[in-house]
Amino acid sequence: MKYLWLMLCILCVGAASAQAQETKSPVYYNASWSPDGSKILFESNRDGKLAVYTIQADGNGLRKLTSGEVNDEQPCWSADGRRIAFASMRDGHLQLYIMDADGSHQRRLTNAKDIDYTPAFSPKGDEVAFNSRAEAASVVHDIYAVRTDGTGRKRLTNQSANDMSPVYSPNGKKILFVRSVIIKRYYNEMSKPERERMKQSEEVFVMNKDGSKVKNLTNNSARDCCAYWSSDGKTIYFLSEREGSPNIYAMNADGSKVRKVADGSIVSNPVVSRDGKYFVYTKKARGQWGVYVYDIAGKEERLLISD
């Protein structure tokens, strides 16, 4: 799985943009449900550069929210569905922005010398967790948080490893994330043993929202990544290669009772709906990228949009 597995769990944030620019056919990334389940948010370069879109859950009502003059990517909803945070190069440097859910009132959230990306709203909507790293590839990815007025920027992890893809728990008390070894060079410059070590080191972790009490939830020789909470906070869904190929698993919030819930050859790092009945995700199938919805109980996949 070259696509989102590498983009979200191994490589730096620039991988998605680079791949989008190099791919002739449109690509689709980072699909997620609106809190009320009526819409799906995603990014695509269907009109040129990466831009943020929404579409109704039945596949109608496609709407482009950002101009796409530069790459706008990694969108996420606020818990009330009224705002969207995203990363953009519009000021020449990858930083975070916030807009209303209809695309209006776009404003810059972060203004740092480092690269800021992968935003995630806190449940109250008063804070955004995100990744940041210096321009140099030898510097690790750390997790930060900032208030939605742009103040109070703080680092939550300590640069001991690559800590990626933060997601607040539904009660706002914890942050789920994926940890891997430090990337000392660009991925394509690594030796094969280094690549394998990096791949196999990815595990799902959780910590308090202030960065304290870090706990490893998965611990095995296979890659575990792309983790999301259920709406009640009792279940965590994640992608793992523990059976030799990628599959989707669920576990209790404390890491217990791990079970497979979807075939990873069909479903690619999904985000679960609020009612827990569906996954939404993007993937490349038969040479085309698209946004898909998967009925978990019925084990049925539906293509929502593609080009």
Side-chain angles (χ1 to χ4, degrees), residues 9-58:
C9 304
I10 300 177
L11 297 180
C12 67
V13 68
S17 298
Q19 188 176 13
Q21 292 167 350
E22 294 170 0
T23 305
K24 292 182 180 180
S25 59
V27 297
Y28 294 79
Y29 297 132
N30 294 321
S32 62
W33 297 95
S34 62
D36 64 5
S38 66
K39 294 181 181 180
I40 290 169
L41 181 69
F42 64 94
E43 67 184 76
S44 176
N45 66 344
R46 56 182 289 126
D47 295 324
K49 292 185 180 294
L50 289 171
V52 178
Y53 295 80
T54 56
I55 192 170
Q56 294 174 14
D58 61 4

Short mmCIF file of all heavy atoms in Angstrom, two decimals, residues 9-58:
data_model
loop_
_atom_site.label_atom_id
_atom_site.label_comp_id
_atom_site.label_asym_id
_atom_site.label_seq_id
_atom_site.Cartn_x
_atom_site.Cartn_y
_atom_site.Cartn_z
N CYS A 9 1.79 7.51 7.94
CA CYS A 9 2.45 6.80 9.02
C CYS A 9 3.96 6.76 8.93
O CYS A 9 4.61 6.41 9.89
CB CYS A 9 1.92 5.37 9.08
SG CYS A 9 0.14 5.31 9.28
N ILE A 10 4.54 7.10 7.77
CA ILE A 10 5.98 6.99 7.63
C ILE A 10 6.60 8.30 7.20
O ILE A 10 7.46 8.84 7.86
CB ILE A 10 6.36 5.89 6.61
CG1 ILE A 10 5.81 4.54 7.09
CG2 ILE A 10 7.86 5.80 6.45
CD1 ILE A 10 6.05 3.41 6.13
N LEU A 11 6.16 8.82 6.07
CA LEU A 11 6.85 9.96 5.48
C LEU A 11 6.37 11.27 6.05
O LEU A 11 5.36 11.35 6.72
CB LEU A 11 6.64 9.94 3.96
CG LEU A 11 7.22 8.71 3.25
CD1 LEU A 11 6.95 8.81 1.77
CD2 LEU A 11 8.71 8.60 3.50
N CYS A 12 7.07 12.32 5.71
CA CYS A 12 6.69 13.65 6.17
C CYS A 12 5.50 14.14 5.37
O CYS A 12 5.10 13.57 4.38
CB CYS A 12 7.86 14.62 6.04
SG CYS A 12 8.32 14.96 4.33
N VAL A 13 4.96 15.27 5.82
CA VAL A 13 3.74 15.78 5.25
C VAL A 13 3.84 16.10 3.77
O VAL A 13 2.85 16.09 3.05
CB VAL A 13 3.29 17.04 6.04
CG1 VAL A 13 4.26 18.18 5.82
CG2 VAL A 13 1.88 17.46 5.66
N GLY A 14 5.02 16.35 3.26
CA GLY A 14 5.16 16.72 1.86
C GLY A 14 4.91 15.59 0.90
O GLY A 14 4.75 15.81 -0.30
N ALA A 15 4.83 14.36 1.39
CA ALA A 15 4.65 13.22 0.49
C ALA A 15 3.36 13.30 -0.29
O ALA A 15 3.31 12.99 -1.48
CB ALA A 15 4.69 11.92 1.29
N ALA A 16 2.28 13.71 0.38
CA ALA A 16 0.99 13.78 -0.31
C ALA A 16 1.01 14.78 -1.42
O ALA A 16 0.55 14.53 -2.54
CB ALA A 16 -0.11 14.14 0.70
N SER A 17 1.55 15.97 -1.15
CA SER A 17 1.60 17.00 -2.16
C SER A 17 2.48 16.58 -3.33
O SER A 17 2.13 16.79 -4.49
CB SER A 17 2.15 18.30 -1.55
OG SER A 17 1.31 18.75 -0.53
N ALA A 18 3.62 15.98 -3.03
CA ALA A 18 4.52 15.56 -4.09
C ALA A 18 3.87 14.52 -4.97
O ALA A 18 3.96 14.57 -6.19
CB ALA A 18 5.81 15.01 -3.49
N GLN A 19 3.19 13.56 -4.34
CA GLN A 19 2.55 12.52 -5.13
C GLN A 19 1.43 13.09 -5.98
O GLN A 19 1.25 12.71 -7.13
CB GLN A 19 2.00 11.43 -4.21
CG GLN A 19 1.50 10.21 -4.97
CD GLN A 19 1.06 9.11 -4.04
OE1 GLN A 19 0.89 9.33 -2.84
NE2 GLN A 19 0.85 7.93 -4.56
N ALA A 20 0.67 14.02 -5.41
CA ALA A 20 -0.42 14.62 -6.16
C ALA A 20 0.09 15.36 -7.39
O ALA A 20 -0.51 15.31 -8.46
CB ALA A 20 -1.21 15.58 -5.27
N GLN A 21 1.22 16.04 -7.24
CA GLN A 21 1.77 16.80 -8.35
C GLN A 21 2.34 15.89 -9.43
O GLN A 21 2.35 16.23 -10.60
CB GLN A 21 2.86 17.74 -7.83
CG GLN A 21 2.30 18.84 -6.95
CD GLN A 21 3.39 19.58 -6.20
OE1 GLN A 21 4.54 19.17 -6.18
NE2 GLN A 21 3.02 20.67 -5.56
N GLU A 22 2.82 14.69 -9.02
CA GLU A 22 3.43 13.78 -9.97
C GLU A 22 2.41 12.88 -10.66
O GLU A 22 2.73 12.22 -11.64
CB GLU A 22 4.47 12.92 -9.25
CG GLU A 22 5.65 13.73 -8.72
CD GLU A 22 6.54 12.90 -7.81
OE1 GLU A 22 6.21 11.71 -7.61
OE2 GLU A 22 7.54 13.45 -7.33
N THR A 23 1.19 12.80 -10.13
CA THR A 23 0.20 11.89 -10.65
C THR A 23 -0.68 12.61 -11.67
O THR A 23 -1.21 13.67 -11.39
CB THR A 23 -0.68 11.36 -9.50
OG1 THR A 23 0.17 10.78 -8.51
CG2 THR A 23 -1.66 10.32 -10.02
N LYS A 24 -0.87 12.00 -12.84
CA LYS A 24 -1.65 12.63 -13.90
C LYS A 24 -3.14 12.59 -13.58
O LYS A 24 -3.84 13.57 -13.79
CB LYS A 24 -1.36 11.94 -15.22
CG LYS A 24 0.06 12.16 -15.74
CD LYS A 24 0.27 11.49 -17.09
CE LYS A 24 1.69 11.72 -17.60
NZ LYS A 24 1.93 11.07 -18.91
N SER A 25 -3.64 11.46 -13.11
CA SER A 25 -5.05 11.37 -12.76
C SER A 25 -5.29 11.94 -11.38
O SER A 25 -4.39 11.94 -10.54
CB SER A 25 -5.52 9.91 -12.82
OG SER A 25 -4.78 9.13 -11.91
N PRO A 26 -6.48 12.45 -11.09
CA PRO A 26 -6.76 13.06 -9.78
C PRO A 26 -6.57 12.08 -8.64
O PRO A 26 -6.80 10.88 -8.77
CB PRO A 26 -8.22 13.48 -9.90
CG PRO A 26 -8.46 13.63 -11.36
CD PRO A 26 -7.63 12.57 -12.01
N VAL A 27 -6.14 12.61 -7.50
CA VAL A 27 -5.99 11.82 -6.29
C VAL A 27 -6.94 12.35 -5.22
O VAL A 27 -7.40 13.49 -5.29
CB VAL A 27 -4.54 11.83 -5.76
CG1 VAL A 27 -3.61 11.20 -6.76
CG2 VAL A 27 -4.09 13.25 -5.44
N TYR A 28 -7.24 11.51 -4.25
CA TYR A 28 -8.14 11.86 -3.15
C TYR A 28 -7.48 11.39 -1.86
O TYR A 28 -7.01 10.26 -1.76
CB TYR A 28 -9.49 11.17 -3.32
CG TYR A 28 -10.26 11.64 -4.52
CD1 TYR A 28 -9.97 11.17 -5.80
CD2 TYR A 28 -11.30 12.57 -4.40
CE1 TYR A 28 -10.67 11.60 -6.91
CE2 TYR A 28 -12.01 13.01 -5.50
CZ TYR A 28 -11.68 12.52 -6.75
OH TYR A 28 -12.38 12.95 -7.85
N TYR A 29 -7.50 12.27 -0.83
CA TYR A 29 -6.86 11.95 0.45
C TYR A 29 -7.74 12.43 1.61
O TYR A 29 -8.59 13.30 1.47
CB TYR A 29 -5.51 12.65 0.60
CG TYR A 29 -4.43 12.27 -0.39
CD1 TYR A 29 -3.71 13.26 -1.05
CD2 TYR A 29 -4.11 10.95 -0.64
CE1 TYR A 29 -2.69 12.94 -1.94
CE2 TYR A 29 -3.10 10.61 -1.52
CZ TYR A 29 -2.40 11.61 -2.18
OH TYR A 29 -1.40 11.28 -3.06
N ASN A 30 -7.47 11.86 2.79
CA ASN A 30 -7.93 12.41 4.07
C ASN A 30 -9.44 12.63 4.15
O ASN A 30 -9.91 13.72 4.50
CB ASN A 30 -7.19 13.71 4.38
CG ASN A 30 -5.72 13.48 4.61
OD1 ASN A 30 -5.33 12.49 5.23
ND2 ASN A 30 -4.87 14.37 4.11
N ALA A 31 -10.19 11.60 3.86
CA ALA A 31 -11.65 11.69 3.98
C ALA A 31 -12.08 11.54 5.43
O ALA A 31 -11.51 10.75 6.18
CB ALA A 31 -12.31 10.61 3.13
N SER A 32 -13.10 12.31 5.84
CA SER A 32 -13.63 12.18 7.20
C SER A 32 -15.09 12.61 7.22
O SER A 32 -15.54 13.42 6.40
CB SER A 32 -12.82 13.03 8.19
OG SER A 32 -12.90 14.41 7.86
N TRP A 33 -15.83 12.05 8.17
CA TRP A 33 -17.26 12.35 8.32
C TRP A 33 -17.48 13.68 9.02
O TRP A 33 -16.77 14.03 9.95
CB TRP A 33 -17.94 11.28 9.16
CG TRP A 33 -17.90 9.90 8.58
CD1 TRP A 33 -16.98 8.92 8.83
CD2 TRP A 33 -18.83 9.34 7.65
NE1 TRP A 33 -17.28 7.79 8.12
CE2 TRP A 33 -18.41 8.02 7.39
CE3 TRP A 33 -19.98 9.84 7.02
CZ2 TRP A 33 -19.10 7.17 6.52
CZ3 TRP A 33 -20.67 9.00 6.15
CH2 TRP A 33 -20.23 7.70 5.91
N SER A 34 -18.53 14.39 8.62
CA SER A 34 -18.98 15.52 9.42
C SER A 34 -19.59 14.96 10.70
O SER A 34 -20.04 13.81 10.73
CB SER A 34 -20.02 16.34 8.65
OG SER A 34 -21.18 15.56 8.36
N PRO A 35 -19.61 15.74 11.77
CA PRO A 35 -20.13 15.22 13.04
C PRO A 35 -21.56 14.69 12.95
O PRO A 35 -21.91 13.73 13.64
CB PRO A 35 -20.05 16.44 13.96
CG PRO A 35 -18.88 17.19 13.43
CD PRO A 35 -18.98 17.06 11.94
N ASP A 36 -22.39 15.28 12.08
CA ASP A 36 -23.77 14.79 11.96
C ASP A 36 -23.91 13.68 10.93
O ASP A 36 -25.02 13.15 10.72
CB ASP A 36 -24.73 15.94 11.63
CG ASP A 36 -24.46 16.57 10.27
OD1 ASP A 36 -23.58 16.08 9.52
OD2 ASP A 36 -25.13 17.58 9.94
N GLY A 37 -22.81 13.30 10.27
CA GLY A 37 -22.83 12.19 9.32
C GLY A 37 -23.41 12.51 7.97
O GLY A 37 -23.51 11.63 7.11
N SER A 38 -23.75 13.77 7.73
CA SER A 38 -24.41 14.12 6.46
C SER A 38 -23.44 14.41 5.33
O SER A 38 -23.81 14.30 4.15
CB SER A 38 -25.31 15.35 6.67
OG SER A 38 -24.52 16.50 6.98
N LYS A 39 -22.19 14.77 5.67
CA LYS A 39 -21.22 15.13 4.64
C LYS A 39 -19.88 14.45 4.88
O LYS A 39 -19.60 13.97 5.98
CB LYS A 39 -21.01 16.65 4.62
CG LYS A 39 -22.22 17.45 4.18
CD LYS A 39 -21.90 18.94 4.18
CE LYS A 39 -23.12 19.75 3.75
NZ LYS A 39 -22.83 21.20 3.74
N ILE A 40 -19.08 14.45 3.84
CA ILE A 40 -17.73 13.91 3.93
C ILE A 40 -16.76 14.97 3.42
O ILE A 40 -16.98 15.59 2.37
CB ILE A 40 -17.60 12.61 3.13
CG1 ILE A 40 -18.39 11.50 3.85
CG2 ILE A 40 -16.14 12.20 2.96
CD1 ILE A 40 -18.58 10.25 3.05
N LEU A 41 -15.73 15.17 4.18
CA LEU A 41 -14.68 16.14 3.89
C LEU A 41 -13.49 15.40 3.31
O LEU A 41 -13.16 14.30 3.75
CB LEU A 41 -14.29 16.82 5.20
CG LEU A 41 -13.22 17.90 5.22
CD1 LEU A 41 -13.70 19.16 4.51
CD2 LEU A 41 -12.86 18.23 6.68
N PHE A 42 -12.84 15.99 2.31
CA PHE A 42 -11.65 15.35 1.74
C PHE A 42 -10.84 16.38 0.98
O PHE A 42 -11.26 17.53 0.78
CB PHE A 42 -12.03 14.18 0.82
CG PHE A 42 -12.83 14.58 -0.40
CD1 PHE A 42 -12.20 14.83 -1.61
CD2 PHE A 42 -14.21 14.69 -0.34
CE1 PHE A 42 -12.92 15.19 -2.74
CE2 PHE A 42 -14.95 15.05 -1.47
CZ PHE A 42 -14.30 15.30 -2.67
N GLU A 43 -9.66 15.98 0.54
CA GLU A 43 -8.84 16.82 -0.33
C GLU A 43 -8.60 16.11 -1.65
O GLU A 43 -8.57 14.87 -1.70
CB GLU A 43 -7.49 17.14 0.33
CG GLU A 43 -6.59 15.93 0.48
CD GLU A 43 -5.31 16.22 1.22
OE1 GLU A 43 -5.35 16.36 2.46
OE2 GLU A 43 -4.25 16.30 0.56
N SER A 44 -8.47 16.89 -2.71
CA SER A 44 -8.22 16.30 -4.03
C SER A 44 -7.56 17.34 -4.93
O SER A 44 -7.75 18.55 -4.73
CB SER A 44 -9.54 15.85 -4.67
OG SER A 44 -9.33 15.37 -5.99
N ASN A 45 -6.85 16.85 -5.92
CA ASN A 45 -6.29 17.74 -6.94
C ASN A 45 -7.08 17.60 -8.25
O ASN A 45 -6.55 17.79 -9.33
CB ASN A 45 -4.81 17.43 -7.18
CG ASN A 45 -4.59 16.05 -7.78
OD1 ASN A 45 -5.47 15.19 -7.76
ND2 ASN A 45 -3.40 15.82 -8.32
N ARG A 46 -8.36 17.28 -8.15
CA ARG A 46 -9.21 17.07 -9.32
C ARG A 46 -9.30 18.31 -10.20
O ARG A 46 -9.60 18.22 -11.40
CB ARG A 46 -10.60 16.61 -8.89
CG ARG A 46 -11.29 17.55 -7.92
CD ARG A 46 -12.66 17.04 -7.48
NE ARG A 46 -13.62 17.12 -8.57
CZ ARG A 46 -14.34 16.10 -9.00
NH1 ARG A 46 -14.19 14.91 -8.45
NH2 ARG A 46 -15.19 16.27 -9.98
N ASP A 47 -9.05 19.49 -9.63
CA ASP A 47 -9.09 20.73 -10.42
C ASP A 47 -7.71 21.35 -10.58
O ASP A 47 -7.60 22.52 -10.98
CB ASP A 47 -10.02 21.74 -9.75
CG ASP A 47 -11.46 21.28 -9.74
OD1 ASP A 47 -11.88 20.65 -10.73
OD2 ASP A 47 -12.17 21.54 -8.75
N GLY A 48 -6.66 20.61 -10.28
CA GLY A 48 -5.30 21.15 -10.40
C GLY A 48 -4.48 20.81 -9.18
O GLY A 48 -4.03 19.69 -9.01
N LYS A 49 -4.31 21.77 -8.29
CA LYS A 49 -3.60 21.52 -7.04
C LYS A 49 -4.57 20.99 -5.99
O LYS A 49 -5.79 21.02 -6.18
CB LYS A 49 -2.91 22.81 -6.55
CG LYS A 49 -1.76 23.27 -7.44
CD LYS A 49 -1.06 24.47 -6.83
CE LYS A 49 0.09 24.93 -7.72
NZ LYS A 49 1.17 23.93 -7.77
N LEU A 50 -4.01 20.50 -4.87
CA LEU A 50 -4.85 19.99 -3.81
C LEU A 50 -5.73 21.09 -3.24
O LEU A 50 -5.27 22.18 -2.91
CB LEU A 50 -4.00 19.39 -2.69
CG LEU A 50 -3.28 18.08 -3.01
CD1 LEU A 50 -2.30 17.74 -1.89
CD2 LEU A 50 -4.27 16.95 -3.21
N ALA A 51 -7.02 20.80 -3.10
CA ALA A 51 -7.98 21.71 -2.50
C ALA A 51 -8.90 20.92 -1.59
O ALA A 51 -8.95 19.69 -1.65
CB ALA A 51 -8.78 22.44 -3.58
N VAL A 52 -9.64 21.62 -0.74
CA VAL A 52 -10.53 21.00 0.22
C VAL A 52 -11.95 20.98 -0.35
O VAL A 52 -12.44 21.98 -0.87
CB VAL A 52 -10.51 21.75 1.57
CG1 VAL A 52 -11.48 21.13 2.55
CG2 VAL A 52 -9.09 21.75 2.15
N TYR A 53 -12.60 19.83 -0.23
CA TYR A 53 -13.95 19.64 -0.75
C TYR A 53 -14.84 19.00 0.31
O TYR A 53 -14.37 18.34 1.24
CB TYR A 53 -13.94 18.68 -1.95
CG TYR A 53 -13.22 19.17 -3.18
CD1 TYR A 53 -11.83 19.10 -3.26
CD2 TYR A 53 -13.91 19.68 -4.26
CE1 TYR A 53 -11.15 19.53 -4.39
CE2 TYR A 53 -13.24 20.11 -5.41
CZ TYR A 53 -11.87 20.03 -5.47
OH TYR A 53 -11.21 20.46 -6.60
N THR A 54 -16.16 19.17 0.12
CA THR A 54 -17.14 18.37 0.84
C THR A 54 -18.09 17.76 -0.18
O THR A 54 -18.28 18.27 -1.29
CB THR A 54 -17.96 19.19 1.86
OG1 THR A 54 -18.60 20.29 1.20
CG2 THR A 54 -17.08 19.70 2.97
N ILE A 55 -18.69 16.65 0.21
CA ILE A 55 -19.70 15.99 -0.59
C ILE A 55 -20.71 15.37 0.36
O ILE A 55 -20.35 14.97 1.48
CB ILE A 55 -19.08 14.92 -1.53
CG1 ILE A 55 -20.09 14.46 -2.57
CG2 ILE A 55 -18.52 13.75 -0.73
CD1 ILE A 55 -19.47 13.59 -3.66
N GLN A 56 -21.97 15.32 -0.04
CA GLN A 56 -22.97 14.69 0.80
C GLN A 56 -22.71 13.19 0.87
O GLN A 56 -22.12 12.59 -0.03
CB GLN A 56 -24.37 14.96 0.24
CG GLN A 56 -24.76 16.43 0.30
CD GLN A 56 -26.09 16.71 -0.38
OE1 GLN A 56 -26.85 15.80 -0.69
NE2 GLN A 56 -26.36 17.97 -0.64
N ALA A 57 -23.17 12.56 1.92
CA ALA A 57 -22.90 11.14 2.15
C ALA A 57 -23.51 10.24 1.08
O ALA A 57 -23.10 9.09 0.93
CB ALA A 57 -23.40 10.72 3.53
N ASP A 58 -24.49 10.77 0.32
CA ASP A 58 -25.07 9.98 -0.77
C ASP A 58 -24.36 10.19 -2.10
O ASP A 58 -24.77 9.64 -3.13
CB ASP A 58 -26.56 10.29 -0.92
CG ASP A 58 -26.84 11.75 -1.27
OD1 ASP A 58 -25.88 12.53 -1.48
OD2 ASP A 58 -28.03 12.12 -1.34
#
